[in-house]
PDB file of all heavy atoms in Angstrom:
ATOM      1  N   PRO A   7       0.153  17.119   5.559  1.00 98.00           N
ATOM      2  CA  PRO A   7      -0.039  17.873   6.798  1.00 98.00           C
ATOM      3  C   PRO A   7      -0.232  19.329   6.558  1.00 98.00           C
ATOM      4  O   PRO A   7       0.211  19.872   5.490  1.00 98.00           O
ATOM      5  CB  PRO A   7       1.349  17.683   7.586  1.00 98.00           C
ATOM      6  CG  PRO A   7       2.271  17.670   6.416  1.00 98.00           C
ATOM      7  CD  PRO A   7       1.665  17.059   5.211  1.00 98.00           C
ATOM      8  N   GLY A   8      -0.934  19.976   7.456  1.00 97.00           N
ATOM      9  CA  GLY A   8      -1.128  21.469   7.348  1.00 97.00           C
ATOM     10  C   GLY A   8      -1.991  22.053   8.366  1.00 97.00           C
ATOM     11  O   GLY A   8      -2.512  21.318   9.232  1.00 97.00           O
ATOM     12  N   SER A   9      -2.178  23.356   8.315  1.00 96.00           N
ATOM     13  CA  SER A   9      -2.984  24.088   9.283  1.00 96.00           C
ATOM     14  C   SER A   9      -4.519  24.027   8.762  1.00 96.00           C
ATOM     15  O   SER A   9      -5.397  23.904   9.539  1.00 96.00           O
ATOM     16  CB  SER A   9      -2.575  25.502   9.452  1.00 96.00           C
ATOM     17  OG  SER A   9      -1.286  25.513   9.921  1.00 96.00           O
ATOM     18  N   PHE A  10      -4.703  24.152   7.447  1.00 97.00           N
ATOM     19  CA  PHE A  10      -6.013  24.107   6.826  1.00 97.00           C
ATOM     20  C   PHE A  10      -7.019  24.958   7.595  1.00 97.00           C
ATOM     21  O   PHE A  10      -8.099  24.470   7.923  1.00 97.00           O
ATOM     22  CB  PHE A  10      -6.505  22.631   6.684  1.00 97.00           C
ATOM     23  CG  PHE A  10      -5.567  21.738   6.057  1.00 97.00           C
ATOM     24  CD1 PHE A  10      -4.836  20.758   6.687  1.00 97.00           C
ATOM     25  CD2 PHE A  10      -5.388  21.846   4.679  1.00 97.00           C
ATOM     26  CE1 PHE A  10      -3.962  19.939   6.112  1.00 97.00           C
ATOM     27  CE2 PHE A  10      -4.521  20.943   3.979  1.00 97.00           C
ATOM     28  CZ  PHE A  10      -3.793  19.983   4.721  1.00 97.00           C
ATOM     29  N   ASP A  11      -6.714  26.222   7.772  1.00 97.00           N
ATOM     30  CA  ASP A  11      -7.528  27.118   8.589  1.00 97.00           C
ATOM     31  C   ASP A  11      -8.057  28.297   7.775  1.00 97.00           C
ATOM     32  O   ASP A  11      -7.625  29.436   7.999  1.00 97.00           O
ATOM     33  CB  ASP A  11      -6.727  27.586   9.816  1.00 97.00           C
ATOM     34  CG  ASP A  11      -7.680  28.367  10.737  1.00 97.00           C
ATOM     35  OD1 ASP A  11      -8.826  28.000  10.959  1.00 97.00           O
ATOM     36  OD2 ASP A  11      -7.125  29.352  11.360  1.00 97.00           O
ATOM     37  N   HIS A  17      -5.685  23.901  -1.543  1.00 97.00           N
ATOM     38  CA  HIS A  17      -5.470  22.644  -0.803  1.00 97.00           C
ATOM     39  C   HIS A  17      -6.208  21.493  -1.493  1.00 97.00           C
ATOM     40  O   HIS A  17      -5.716  20.352  -1.646  1.00 97.00           O
ATOM     41  CB  HIS A  17      -5.912  22.691   0.610  1.00 97.00           C
ATOM     42  CG  HIS A  17      -5.265  23.748   1.469  1.00 97.00           C
ATOM     43  ND1 HIS A  17      -5.940  24.624   2.153  1.00 97.00           N
ATOM     44  CD2 HIS A  17      -3.934  23.962   1.717  1.00 97.00           C
ATOM     45  CE1 HIS A  17      -5.076  25.392   2.894  1.00 97.00           C
ATOM     46  NE2 HIS A  17      -3.861  24.984   2.598  1.00 97.00           N
ATOM     47  N   SER A  34      -3.829  15.666   7.406  1.00 98.00           N
ATOM     48  CA  SER A  34      -3.818  15.691   8.825  1.00 98.00           C
ATOM     49  C   SER A  34      -3.627  17.193   9.277  1.00 98.00           C
ATOM     50  O   SER A  34      -2.673  17.906   8.852  1.00 98.00           O
ATOM     51  CB  SER A  34      -2.699  14.805   9.390  1.00 98.00           C
ATOM     52  OG  SER A  34      -3.054  14.593  10.778  1.00 98.00           O
ATOM     53  N   VAL A  35      -4.487  17.632  10.168  1.00 98.00           N
ATOM     54  CA  VAL A  35      -4.486  18.975  10.692  1.00 98.00           C
ATOM     55  C   VAL A  35      -3.558  19.036  11.889  1.00 98.00           C
ATOM     56  O   VAL A  35      -3.675  18.320  12.848  1.00 98.00           O
ATOM     57  CB  VAL A  35      -5.873  19.353  11.098  1.00 98.00           C
ATOM     58  CG1 VAL A  35      -5.931  20.780  11.689  1.00 98.00           C
ATOM     59  CG2 VAL A  35      -6.913  19.218  10.024  1.00 98.00           C
ATOM     60  N   LEU A  36      -2.604  20.069  11.804  1.00 97.00           N
ATOM     61  CA  LEU A  36      -1.668  20.221  12.947  1.00 97.00           C
ATOM     62  C   LEU A  36      -2.471  20.878  14.049  1.00 97.00           C
ATOM     63  O   LEU A  36      -3.036  21.942  13.873  1.00 97.00           O
ATOM     64  CB  LEU A  36      -0.527  21.099  12.501  1.00 97.00           C
ATOM     65  CG  LEU A  36       0.445  21.523  13.694  1.00 97.00           C
ATOM     66  CD1 LEU A  36       1.143  20.339  14.273  1.00 97.00           C
ATOM     67  CD2 LEU A  36       1.396  22.572  13.195  1.00 97.00           C
ATOM     68  N   ASN A  38      -1.794  22.963  16.711  1.00 84.00           N
ATOM     69  CA  ASN A  38      -0.701  23.888  17.117  1.00 84.00           C
ATOM     70  C   ASN A  38      -1.184  24.812  18.169  1.00 84.00           C
ATOM     71  O   ASN A  38      -1.946  25.738  17.839  1.00 84.00           O
ATOM     72  CB  ASN A  38      -0.192  24.612  15.840  1.00 84.00           C
ATOM     73  CG  ASN A  38       0.988  25.508  16.131  1.00 84.00           C
ATOM     74  OD1 ASN A  38       1.300  25.666  17.351  1.00 84.00           O
ATOM     75  ND2 ASN A  38       1.621  25.990  15.160  1.00 84.00           N
ATOM     76  N   LYS A  41      -0.462  28.893  17.681  1.00 75.00           N
ATOM     77  CA  LYS A  41      -1.210  29.814  16.753  1.00 75.00           C
ATOM     78  C   LYS A  41      -2.677  29.986  17.345  1.00 75.00           C
ATOM     79  O   LYS A  41      -3.123  29.101  18.075  1.00 75.00           O
ATOM     80  CB  LYS A  41      -1.321  29.151  15.388  1.00 75.00           C
ATOM     81  CG  LYS A  41      -0.111  29.343  14.563  1.00 75.00           C
ATOM     82  CD  LYS A  41      -0.406  28.854  13.113  1.00 75.00           C
ATOM     83  CE  LYS A  41       0.770  28.847  12.254  1.00 75.00           C
ATOM     84  NZ  LYS A  41       0.516  28.330  10.909  1.00 75.00           N
ATOM     85  N   PHE A  69      -2.952  15.872  14.252  1.00 98.00           N
ATOM     86  CA  PHE A  69      -1.815  15.457  14.980  1.00 98.00           C
ATOM     87  C   PHE A  69      -1.237  16.625  15.815  1.00 98.00           C
ATOM     88  O   PHE A  69      -1.451  17.733  15.536  1.00 98.00           O
ATOM     89  CB  PHE A  69      -0.713  14.834  14.081  1.00 98.00           C
ATOM     90  CG  PHE A  69       0.044  15.839  13.217  1.00 98.00           C
ATOM     91  CD1 PHE A  69       1.335  16.188  13.528  1.00 98.00           C
ATOM     92  CD2 PHE A  69      -0.522  16.419  12.146  1.00 98.00           C
ATOM     93  CE1 PHE A  69       2.028  17.125  12.861  1.00 98.00           C
ATOM     94  CE2 PHE A  69       0.143  17.336  11.340  1.00 98.00           C
ATOM     95  CZ  PHE A  69       1.427  17.707  11.662  1.00 98.00           C
ATOM     96  N   SER A  70      -0.470  16.178  16.891  1.00 96.00           N
ATOM     97  CA  SER A  70       0.234  17.136  17.663  1.00 96.00           C
ATOM     98  C   SER A  70       1.690  16.736  17.646  1.00 96.00           C
ATOM     99  O   SER A  70       1.970  15.579  17.427  1.00 96.00           O
ATOM    100  CB  SER A  70      -0.246  17.103  19.142  1.00 96.00           C
ATOM    101  OG  SER A  70      -1.622  17.208  19.213  1.00 96.00           O
ATOM    102  N   GLY A  71       2.549  17.739  17.933  1.00 96.00           N
ATOM    103  CA  GLY A  71       3.984  17.408  18.032  1.00 96.00           C
ATOM    104  C   GLY A  71       4.642  17.315  16.656  1.00 96.00           C
ATOM    105  O   GLY A  71       4.131  17.920  15.700  1.00 96.00           O
ATOM    106  N   LEU A  72       5.721  16.580  16.642  1.00 97.00           N
ATOM    107  CA  LEU A  72       6.456  16.546  15.432  1.00 97.00           C
ATOM    108  C   LEU A  72       5.865  15.579  14.331  1.00 97.00           C
ATOM    109  O   LEU A  72       5.386  14.491  14.672  1.00 97.00           O
ATOM    110  CB  LEU A  72       7.881  15.946  15.688  1.00 97.00           C
ATOM    111  CG  LEU A  72       8.817  16.841  16.497  1.00 97.00           C
ATOM    112  CD1 LEU A  72      10.159  16.118  16.791  1.00 97.00           C
ATOM    113  CD2 LEU A  72       9.081  18.185  15.810  1.00 97.00           C
ATOM    114  N   LEU A  73       5.887  16.099  13.081  1.00 98.00           N
ATOM    115  CA  LEU A  73       5.355  15.304  12.017  1.00 98.00           C
ATOM    116  C   LEU A  73       6.049  13.969  11.836  1.00 98.00           C
ATOM    117  O   LEU A  73       5.407  12.928  11.531  1.00 98.00           O
ATOM    118  CB  LEU A  73       5.501  16.161  10.694  1.00 98.00           C
ATOM    119  CG  LEU A  73       4.963  15.435   9.423  1.00 98.00           C
ATOM    120  CD1 LEU A  73       3.516  15.253   9.499  1.00 98.00           C
ATOM    121  CD2 LEU A  73       5.300  16.238   8.193  1.00 98.00           C
ATOM    122  N   ILE A  74       7.345  13.950  12.026  1.00 98.00           N
ATOM    123  CA  ILE A  74       8.098  12.664  11.902  1.00 98.00           C
ATOM    124  C   ILE A  74       7.625  11.565  12.839  1.00 98.00           C
ATOM    125  O   ILE A  74       7.560  10.432  12.457  1.00 98.00           O
ATOM    126  CB  ILE A  74       9.677  12.837  12.007  1.00 98.00           C
ATOM    127  CG1 ILE A  74      10.068  13.394  13.346  1.00 98.00           C
ATOM    128  CG2 ILE A  74      10.211  13.610  10.910  1.00 98.00           C
ATOM    129  CD1 ILE A  74      11.443  13.089  13.803  1.00 98.00           C
ATOM    130  N   ASN A  75       7.229  11.978  14.021  1.00 98.00           N
ATOM    131  CA  ASN A  75       6.740  10.967  15.030  1.00 98.00           C
ATOM    132  C   ASN A  75       5.431  10.468  14.629  1.00 98.00           C
ATOM    133  O   ASN A  75       5.060   9.270  14.710  1.00 98.00           O
ATOM    134  CB  ASN A  75       6.694  11.584  16.410  1.00 98.00           C
ATOM    135  CG  ASN A  75       8.112  11.867  16.977  1.00 98.00           C
ATOM    136  OD1 ASN A  75       9.069  11.323  16.495  1.00 98.00           O
ATOM    137  ND2 ASN A  75       8.172  12.807  17.894  1.00 98.00           N
ATOM    138  N   ARG A  87       3.354  18.227   0.005  1.00 98.00           N
ATOM    139  CA  ARG A  87       3.054  19.656   0.268  1.00 98.00           C
ATOM    140  C   ARG A  87       2.849  20.244  -1.121  1.00 98.00           C
ATOM    141  O   ARG A  87       3.379  19.856  -2.079  1.00 98.00           O
ATOM    142  CB  ARG A  87       4.226  20.307   0.982  1.00 98.00           C
ATOM    143  CG  ARG A  87       4.436  19.785   2.372  1.00 98.00           C
ATOM    144  CD  ARG A  87       3.475  20.373   3.384  1.00 98.00           C
ATOM    145  NE  ARG A  87       3.735  21.808   3.661  1.00 98.00           N
ATOM    146  CZ  ARG A  87       2.891  22.595   4.316  1.00 98.00           C
ATOM    147  NH1 ARG A  87       1.779  22.130   4.801  1.00 98.00           N
ATOM    148  NH2 ARG A  87       3.265  23.836   4.501  1.00 98.00           N
ATOM    149  N   TYR A  97      10.713  28.213   2.838  1.00 93.00           N
ATOM    150  CA  TYR A  97      10.024  27.699   4.022  1.00 93.00           C
ATOM    151  C   TYR A  97       9.792  26.167   3.875  1.00 93.00           C
ATOM    152  O   TYR A  97      10.115  25.435   4.782  1.00 93.00           O
ATOM    153  CB  TYR A  97       8.667  28.452   4.066  1.00 93.00           C
ATOM    154  CG  TYR A  97       7.670  27.912   5.070  1.00 93.00           C
ATOM    155  CD1 TYR A  97       7.815  27.976   6.462  1.00 93.00           C
ATOM    156  CD2 TYR A  97       6.428  27.381   4.553  1.00 93.00           C
ATOM    157  CE1 TYR A  97       6.858  27.552   7.311  1.00 93.00           C
ATOM    158  CE2 TYR A  97       5.435  26.969   5.488  1.00 93.00           C
ATOM    159  CZ  TYR A  97       5.693  27.052   6.897  1.00 93.00           C
ATOM    160  OH  TYR A  97       4.730  26.557   7.724  1.00 93.00           O
ATOM    161  N   GLU A  98       9.357  25.739   2.688  1.00 96.00           N
ATOM    162  CA  GLU A  98       9.033  24.347   2.460  1.00 96.00           C
ATOM    163  C   GLU A  98      10.313  23.512   2.444  1.00 96.00           C
ATOM    164  O   GLU A  98      10.384  22.396   2.968  1.00 96.00           O
ATOM    165  CB  GLU A  98       8.323  24.112   1.113  1.00 96.00           C
ATOM    166  CG  GLU A  98       6.865  24.737   1.109  1.00 96.00           C
ATOM    167  CD  GLU A  98       5.982  24.059   2.100  1.00 96.00           C
ATOM    168  OE1 GLU A  98       6.269  22.942   2.549  1.00 96.00           O
ATOM    169  OE2 GLU A  98       4.958  24.706   2.485  1.00 96.00           O
ATOM    170  N   GLN A 100      13.082  24.114   4.013  1.00 97.00           N
ATOM    171  CA  GLN A 100      13.577  24.035   5.326  1.00 97.00           C
ATOM    172  C   GLN A 100      12.816  22.930   6.114  1.00 97.00           C
ATOM    173  O   GLN A 100      13.454  22.005   6.790  1.00 97.00           O
ATOM    174  CB  GLN A 100      13.409  25.388   6.099  1.00 97.00           C
ATOM    175  CG  GLN A 100      14.215  25.305   7.384  1.00 97.00           C
ATOM    176  CD  GLN A 100      13.904  26.573   8.185  1.00 97.00           C
ATOM    177  OE1 GLN A 100      12.928  27.290   7.946  1.00 97.00           O
ATOM    178  NE2 GLN A 100      14.713  26.797   9.258  1.00 97.00           N
ATOM    179  N   ILE A 101      11.421  22.933   6.048  1.00 97.00           N
ATOM    180  CA  ILE A 101      10.672  21.873   6.740  1.00 97.00           C
ATOM    181  C   ILE A 101      11.055  20.507   6.230  1.00 97.00           C
ATOM    182  O   ILE A 101      11.261  19.591   6.974  1.00 97.00           O
ATOM    183  CB  ILE A 101       9.120  22.158   6.549  1.00 97.00           C
ATOM    184  CG1 ILE A 101       8.748  23.511   7.182  1.00 97.00           C
ATOM    185  CG2 ILE A 101       8.342  21.018   7.166  1.00 97.00           C
ATOM    186  CD1 ILE A 101       7.268  23.785   7.083  1.00 97.00           C
ATOM    187  N   ALA A 102      11.095  20.396   4.871  1.00 98.00           N
ATOM    188  CA  ALA A 102      11.366  19.068   4.260  1.00 98.00           C
ATOM    189  C   ALA A 102      12.728  18.575   4.673  1.00 98.00           C
ATOM    190  O   ALA A 102      12.872  17.355   5.049  1.00 98.00           O
ATOM    191  CB  ALA A 102      11.218  19.178   2.715  1.00 98.00           C
ATOM    192  N   THR A 104      14.473  19.443   7.273  1.00 98.00           N
ATOM    193  CA  THR A 104      14.553  19.191   8.729  1.00 98.00           C
ATOM    194  C   THR A 104      13.893  17.771   8.987  1.00 98.00           C
ATOM    195  O   THR A 104      14.431  16.986   9.789  1.00 98.00           O
ATOM    196  CB  THR A 104      13.748  20.227   9.534  1.00 98.00           C
ATOM    197  OG1 THR A 104      14.255  21.481   9.144  1.00 98.00           O
ATOM    198  CG2 THR A 104      13.838  20.071  11.048  1.00 98.00           C
ATOM    199  N   ASN A 105      12.722  17.584   8.338  1.00 98.00           N
ATOM    200  CA  ASN A 105      12.053  16.264   8.620  1.00 98.00           C
ATOM    201  C   ASN A 105      12.873  15.110   8.074  1.00 98.00           C
ATOM    202  O   ASN A 105      12.929  14.037   8.732  1.00 98.00           O
ATOM    203  CB  ASN A 105      10.689  16.311   7.863  1.00 98.00           C
ATOM    204  CG  ASN A 105       9.640  17.119   8.619  1.00 98.00           C
ATOM    205  OD1 ASN A 105       9.791  17.303   9.875  1.00 98.00           O
ATOM    206  ND2 ASN A 105       8.664  17.665   7.954  1.00 98.00           N
ATOM    207  N   LEU A 108      15.768  14.841  10.787  1.00 98.00           N
ATOM    208  CA  LEU A 108      15.283  14.385  12.090  1.00 98.00           C
ATOM    209  C   LEU A 108      14.872  12.888  12.032  1.00 98.00           C
ATOM    210  O   LEU A 108      14.909  12.198  13.088  1.00 98.00           O
ATOM    211  CB  LEU A 108      14.122  15.184  12.528  1.00 98.00           C
ATOM    212  CG  LEU A 108      14.329  16.559  13.161  1.00 98.00           C
ATOM    213  CD1 LEU A 108      12.987  17.176  13.481  1.00 98.00           C
ATOM    214  CD2 LEU A 108      15.178  16.336  14.441  1.00 98.00           C
TER     215      LEU A 108
HETATM  216  O1  LIG B 201      -0.248  24.721   6.545  1.00 61.58           O
HETATM  217  P1  LIG B 201       1.030  25.113   7.230  1.00 61.58           P
HETATM  218  O2  LIG B 201       0.806  25.889   8.546  1.00 61.58           O
HETATM  219  O3  LIG B 201       2.033  25.791   6.395  1.00 61.58           O
HETATM  220  O4  LIG B 201       1.731  23.660   7.670  1.00 61.58           O
HETATM  221  C1  LIG B 201       2.937  23.575   8.380  1.00 61.58           C
HETATM  222  C2  LIG B 201       3.200  22.133   8.863  1.00 61.58           C
HETATM  223  C3  LIG B 201       1.941  21.668   9.627  1.00 61.58           C
HETATM  224  C4  LIG B 201       3.419  21.229   7.741  1.00 61.58           C
HETATM  225  C5  LIG B 201       4.462  22.174   9.807  1.00 61.58           C
HETATM  226  O5  LIG B 201       4.415  23.312  10.613  1.00 61.58           O
HETATM  227  C6  LIG B 201       4.555  20.903  10.640  1.00 61.58           C
HETATM  228  O6  LIG B 201       4.679  19.837  10.184  1.00 61.58           O
HETATM  229  N1  LIG B 201       4.573  21.128  11.977  1.00 61.58           N
HETATM  230  C7  LIG B 201       4.674  20.097  12.907  1.00 61.58           C
HETATM  231  C8  LIG B 201       5.903  20.241  13.848  1.00 61.58           C
HETATM  232  C9  LIG B 201       7.137  19.685  13.160  1.00 61.58           C
HETATM  233  O7  LIG B 201       7.237  18.510  12.818  1.00 61.58           O
HETATM  234  N2  LIG B 201       8.133  20.563  12.979  1.00 61.58           N
HETATM  235  C10 LIG B 201       9.398  20.146  12.421  1.00 61.58           C
HETATM  236  C11 LIG B 201       9.534  20.597  10.950  1.00 61.58           C
HETATM  237  S1  LIG B 201      10.124  22.303  10.940  1.00 61.58           S
END
Side-chain angles (χ1 to χ4, degrees):
S9 301
F10 305 109
D11 186 40
H17 296 129
S34 202
V35 177
L36 173 66
N38 183 349
K41 282 190 184 176
F69 74 104
S70 310
L72 290 178
L73 180 65
I74 56 157
N75 295 338
R87 294 282 290 169
Y97 170 68
E98 293 296 339
Q100 192 190 12
I101 296 180
T104 305
N105 284 335
L108 279 179

